[in-house]
Amino acid sequence: MDVETLGAIGGAMSRAATPLALAAVGELVTEKAGVLNLGVEGMMLAGAVAAFAVTVATGNPLLGILAAMAAGMLLALLFGVLTLSLMANQVATGLALTIFGIGLSAFVGRDFVGTPLTALAPIHLPVLSDIPLIGPLIFGQDPLVYVTFVLVGGVSWFLMRSRAGLIVRAVGENHDAAHALGYDVIAIRYRAVLFGGAMGGLAGAYLSLVYTPMWVENMTAGRGWIALALVVFATWKPWRVLVGAYLFGGVTIVQLHIQGMGGAIPSQLLSMLPYLATIGVLVLISRDALRIRLNAPACIGKVFHPES
Amino acid sequence: MRTSIIRMLVGAALAAGLATGGAQADEPTKVGFIYVGPVGDFGWSHQHDQGRQALEKAFGDKVKTSFVESVQEGADAERVVRQFAAGGYDLVFTTSFGFMNPTLKVAQQFPKVKFEHATGYKRSANVATYAARFYEGRYVIGVIAGLTTKSKVVGYVASFPIPEVVSGINAFARGLHSVNPEAQVKVIWVNSWYDPGKEREAAETLIAQGADVLSQHTDSPAPVQVAEEKGIFAFGQASDMSRFGPHAQLTAIVDNWNEYYIDRVKAVMDGTWKAEDTWGGLAAGMVHLAPYNAALPADVVEKAEAVRKAIVDGSLHPFAGPLKNQAGQEIVPAGQVLADDKILSMDWYIEGVQGQLPK
Amino acid sequence: MSRSSRFITLEARPEPSALWVWAAPLLAVGLTLIAGGLLFAALGKDPVAALAGFFLKPLSSLYGLGELGVKAAPLALIAAGLAVGFRGGVWNIGAEGQLTMGAVVGGGVGLAFLESTGPLVLPAMMLCGALGGMAWAAIPALLRTRFNANEILTSLMLTYVAQLLLSWLVHGPWRSPSGFNFPETEMFGPAATLPVLIEGTRLHLGVVLALVVVGAIWVLLGRSFIGFQIKVMGLAPRAGAYAGFSQRRVIWMAMLLSGGAAGLAGLFEVAGPIGQLQPAISPGYGFTAIIVAFLGRLHPLGIVFAACFMALTYLGGETVQMDMGLPLAVTGVFQGMILFFLLAADVLIRYRIRLGRAASAKAL
């Protein structure tokens, strides 16, 4: 392994991790407010197709990204109406949202299959991007990689340091107490769910505009589920979401490199590595039972009704 | 009692549906298709659906086609095939290897219906099989790769280690070595037929490991896109992907079922249909090469065309002896060619391909 | 304070409404027919024909009814197992992986006894299928009870591992020597294949056995002490702890039971309609079953209904693709809509809708 290969691995890792981290950090806020939305895959697909369609139509990827976030929020709103206003079961509604999102995105995207699109170019900082190893990893990435860091930092600050974030956590921890204190539990949860939708949509936009600028049906290929698992992996801590996404992306890229070197291990067994590594690291960081219990929102998935 | 009520309702509903369409005096030939992926995969199933649309164009209202997409190769397949057979279809194309056993089972129950199974090896009185000799096209692109690579490392993004993919890798390597003996083929398996993200990661990995020409046996244009981005060359798969890499795509292996489907439907109409096996390649037009990239030097195009023509007229066989496996054992002696059934069941790499196949 | 918008207020009922338990699904079906009709009409299809094709045509023949059973049985079996865990607050979402391992282990037994004609091959396969699913579910159970690792993540990740393991087996060591090296194992012999019960259909013994197991789970949940413990731990873990119930035991029970049920479902798929091991065994039954469990309100009887309904939406989707040229995407949208209506209608069981601005809760 020379420095250049390590740099390539680092660059590829951060790109593979970005959609996972975006979707996961949105879901983390949703779950911190006490709502479990399993429809991440559906929201990502809606975002991916909206971003692609709008960018093709207008030629403006920024509009595409905004459309993706709007599409993700629209699906999240549907989820919110069902689970928050009509108090439907969150697990089932989230899964139904994924089915709906897969179908809807395929339907909307039918005319875009086989349409090319120019990708958002990575930012090339002369000198800095050319530093071996650090260059490709830290500089010379596409803008959304940096935006992801900012978003994760922002979410971390918001939840841990801001008054509004404290209220969100209180609502997820004990909605009856928060209600008794006069907070509008449902309104706060709506906002958290919508934020989750926007992030899921943004993650989808990253896939269809930057990562692989195209539209093919079901192009998220299960990344929404990985994002859901990463929230659990992170024990509901924003920075750990990023660590988890980079770990998962990193192991994925490394196993491909091992394959490319022509090892004797069957590729299926190598492909298991990212999943096994995530389990292994989770086991390592989960042993402190008390601290995890403090992080997990106690009211997650529970229906709130002020009279009950 | 209850079923009869349901039957009546269905009958009424269907009559309502038919009343708008109107019945014709001479019935159109009904042709059904069952796809393993979505028609929006831009790959395997998409190309079969292009063939279905070619039927509509060619026969107009003499033919009625329909399809069911994304049918899993498990318990669902038999039901869908049977539904076509029971629904008055004359000819049913089952377009994935995993539909083989369900197709044969249903064909036994419906001897009057004709079936065509893609890429399988079992036939019966009313089940024909068909496939394309993709390896012929892959030999040609191997030659182009050999004349193009400067790093002498060529990358190959592969899906699953099935014979069709393995024989494609081997034919590619043979073409490569015929003009560039030191060049090596690096293979990465993504264990998916199409997952743009994973294909991209595999392509990036191959480039990081020195590949300056990419080939793929997966369905999405992601590897071609990566090649375009990194300023190297690639070969498209299933359809012409030059839109996704106008500078990068040198040519593409195009699956072309259109003429075959038209011929087979015509045979059904004429009453000349037989349950035979068709395994056509470049000569039959089932495998096409997309237009060569304008940037390819004239001598490379000339060489590629010469090789293509030699395969078409039979003077060149991609697996002509002497052919050795990875361990250097001679499998085919000089003067002979690898038999079709051996190509159809290929599960070993030839000399000069890196890596190991699961045993 | 009750939650109120300007016109509509949801007011909790003192008791869940017995009427709406049955009426809610009917209301949902009604809404589905209207919305579906509008959807199909917007796509330029005859709504009546499309709806009839979707909901009636699949059931208009004996074969179709058999197919409903073939499709619904694995869903009901897995969902019934999962429901036990969901009631106890144990989140096994890796049933798809446990199904795969059940098929692998149970199918492996079938491959080991290809020549055998003994009557014990099939029971041995079923036993090993259930054990394979259990073993795969035991990993998350162990990691949760021993290392406190959340079972949502571990069970999901292990699903991918199981599918890759199956892929490796059928592409490699277990590949049939007579199949041109295609990724499939030998076909199981007659002794290792579930017999078809009704001639002219695919309704096999596994469908009936699945129902028997669902019934057994019902009895276990309703009548046994462990069932009681699971329910208490789900509703009030603290109270359960006071009563001396062990959460560890509940986790193990729930995981093993749901894993075993999923493994058995996987074995039924390969020993029934498929007849061999191949790379694709289940069209996502393990995930769909989670919806089925909640649609059926975590109750075995409700789950059987929900599984049949869910199965019907898949069959109907195939039918309208074939007969009307509606793409799969449309049936996905339609399926999502049906589920939304069903889930939303459930609110009427526990809440009353009041029109007009409601007074505060105290005034009632």
Side-chain angles (χ1 to χ4, degrees), chain B residues 27-33 48 51-66 89-93 114-116 128 130 257-274 276:
Chain B
E27 288 288 302
T29 304
K30 283 177 85 178
V31 188
F33 288 82
H48 283 286
R52 183 189 64 84
Q53 291 172 22
L55 285 181
E56 300 254 350
K57 268 202 203 74
F59 295 108
D61 50 15
K62 285 214 282 293
V63 66
K64 186 182 173 304
T65 70
S66 69
Y89 283 76
D90 304 289
L91 178 64
V92 183
F93 289 97
K114 295 164 181 68
F115 297 86
E116 297 254 354
Y130 64 102
W257 309 106
N258 301 16
E259 287 77 24
Y260 178 76
Y261 284 166
I262 289 168
D263 285 351
R264 300 302 281 172
V265 170
K266 202 159 169 25
V268 169
M269 289 173 174
D270 302 344
T272 56
W273 187 91
K274 278 203 244 0
E276 54 213 358

Side-chain angles (χ1 to χ4, degrees), chain C residues 33 38 48 92 106 121-122 140 211 227 288 293 297 301 304 337 351:
Chain C
L33 293 178
L38 290 171
V48 178
N92 176 12
V121 179
L122 208 47
L211 282 175
T288 312
R297 301 179 193 136
L301 191 62
V304 172
M337 266 175 21
Y351 298 93

Side-chain angles (χ1 to χ4, degrees), chain A residues 8 12 15-16 113-116 211-214 216-218 221 223 252-253 256-257 259-264 267-268 271, chain B residues 38 40-42 161 186-189 191 194-198 200-202 204-205 208-209 220-222 225 243-244 354-356:
Chain A
R15 282 188 292 279
V113 171
T115 306
Y211 202 48
T212 51
M214 66 176 85
V216 288
E217 270 185 47
N218 228 337
R223 285 172 181 77
T252 303
I253 305 295
L256 291 172
H257 271 270
Q259 272 198 55
M261 289 167 190
S267 71
Q268 289 97 341
S271 298
Chain B
D41 67 354
F42 198 58
K186 274 183 186 284
V187 184
I188 289 187
W189 300 95
N191 290 308
Y194 86 103
D195 175 345
K198 264 200 187 130
R200 184 202 162 94
E201 286 150 18
E204 282 190 331
T205 302
Q209 296 194 352
S220 97
Q225 276 182 329
R243 276 170 292 173
F244 292 90
Q354 284 195 354
Q356 269 189 5

Side-chain angles (χ1 to χ4, degrees), chain C residues 124-282:
Chain C
M125 285 169 75
M126 290 181 204
L127 181 68
C128 290
L131 286 175
M134 277 187 191
W136 209 241
I139 304 170
L142 178 78
L143 296 178
R144 165 81 193 266
T145 51
R146 182 84 187 67
F147 300 104
N148 196 36
N150 190 309
E151 72 278 8
I152 294 177
L153 178 127
T154 52
S155 63
L156 179 68
M157 293 286 171
L158 283 169
T159 293
Y160 296 104
V161 174
Q163 287 169 338
L164 285 162
L165 186 71
L166 170 70
S167 171
W168 172 64
L169 287 171
V170 295
H171 283 95
W174 288 10
R175 203 170 49 186
S176 160
S178 57
F180 284 91
N181 293 326
F182 281 94
E184 50 172 7
T185 65
E186 295 280 357
M187 295 297 279
F188 299 132
T193 309
L194 291 161
V196 168
L197 300 178
I198 300 174
E199 198 54 44
T201 70
R202 287 201 298 163
L203 197 81
H204 54 84
L205 182 63
V207 176
V208 176
L209 291 176
L211 282 175
V212 171
V213 176
V214 171
I217 289 173
W218 188 356
V219 172
L220 177 99
L221 257 186
R223 300 271 178 279
S224 74
F225 187 50
I226 184 75
F228 175 70
Q229 285 185 40
I230 288 172
K231 275 189 277 197
V232 170
M233 288 309 264
L235 289 169
R238 271 208 198 118
Y242 274 124
F245 299 167
S246 145
Q247 184 167 28
R248 184 166 295 202
R249 192 179 320 145
V250 167
I251 291 170
W252 274 105
M253 270 299 301
M255 288 307 280
L256 291 181
L257 190 76
S258 52
L264 194 59
L267 185 271
F268 286 161
E269 281 303 287
V270 293
I274 301 176
Q276 65 186 154
L277 286 179
Q278 51 178 41
I281 286 172
S282 136

